Amino acid sequence: TLGMFFLMNRSPPKSTQSRSSAASDVYKRQVQKVKENGGESLIEEVKRMLDDGHHDKQRREGEAEIFKSAKKEISKEEQENELIRSLCVDLQKKSEEFGELQRKIEMTQVELSEQSKLIEQSLSLIHI
């Protein structure tokens, strides 16, 4: 029915010279058919389609806003994840540094223990 609406508003081809030409007859039959089928219902159909188009536009705009909001949230999450990754790398480095310090402390304790034994031996020799 929408096609008939557009045909109804279309003028006959400019190449048509006479009102009795075949193109003019087809056009007249189309206009008559629209009138017989209730032109007002066609207008209502077009109004409904325009209204639906408006609602679709609003829905698409709403979806676009949701998409923008989700994209911002994803961006925030990505930034937070990057910060977490960076902190994990720092923590790993600190853990390695801590492990190295622990090994140094253990070596120092061993050395102190050995030196303590040597001192005790020296003292025991002096007392003899």
Side-chain angles (χ1 to χ4, degrees):
T1 57
L2 185 58
M4 285 188 251
F5 175 77
F6 289 112
L7 292 173
M8 182 178 75
N9 287 330
R10 177 188 89 145
S11 62
K14 292 187 183 201
S15 63
T16 304
Q17 300 298 321
S18 131
R19 302 290 270 160
S20 64
S21 71
S24 179
D25 289 344
V26 169
Y27 178 76
K28 287 177 185 175
R29 282 194 303 271
Q30 289 172 341
V31 169
Q32 184 61 34
K33 191 173 184 180
V34 168
K35 287 180 182 176
E36 289 172 2
N37 289 332
E40 289 185 28
S41 66
L42 180 62
I43 292 171
E44 292 301 317
E45 177 72 12
V46 170
K47 284 181 181 178
R48 185 191 60 73
M49 291 174 69
L50 290 173
D51 192 42
D52 288 349
H54 176 72
H55 292 302
D56 286 346
K57 181 181 176 191
Q58 287 179 329
R59 180 184 49 77
R60 285 190 307 272
E61 288 171 352
E63 288 171 351
E65 284 301 315
I66 291 169
F67 178 75
K68 286 178 189 176
S69 177
K71 192 173 178 182
K72 285 180 185 176
E73 286 300 315
I74 289 170
S75 178
K76 286 179 186 176
E77 286 180 17
E78 286 173 346
Q79 290 174 353
E80 290 171 354
N81 287 341
E82 183 57 36
L83 178 61
I84 290 170
R85 280 190 291 273
S86 176
L87 290 172
C88 286
V89 167
D90 289 346
L91 181 61
Q92 180 65 33
K93 287 179 183 177
K94 296 296 181 189
S95 177
E96 290 170 2
E97 290 173 8
F98 180 75
E100 184 62 30
L101 286 174
Q102 269 187 318
R103 283 187 290 281
K104 286 181 180 180
I105 289 172
E106 289 169 0
M107 287 174 46
T108 303
Q109 287 175 335
V110 169
E111 289 174 6
L112 287 174
S113 177
E114 290 174 359
Q115 288 178 359
S116 177
K117 288 178 185 176
L118 286 175
I119 291 173
E120 286 177 11
Q121 288 176 354
S122 297
L123 286 174
S124 70
L125 288 173
I126 294 174
H127 284 86
I128 297 181

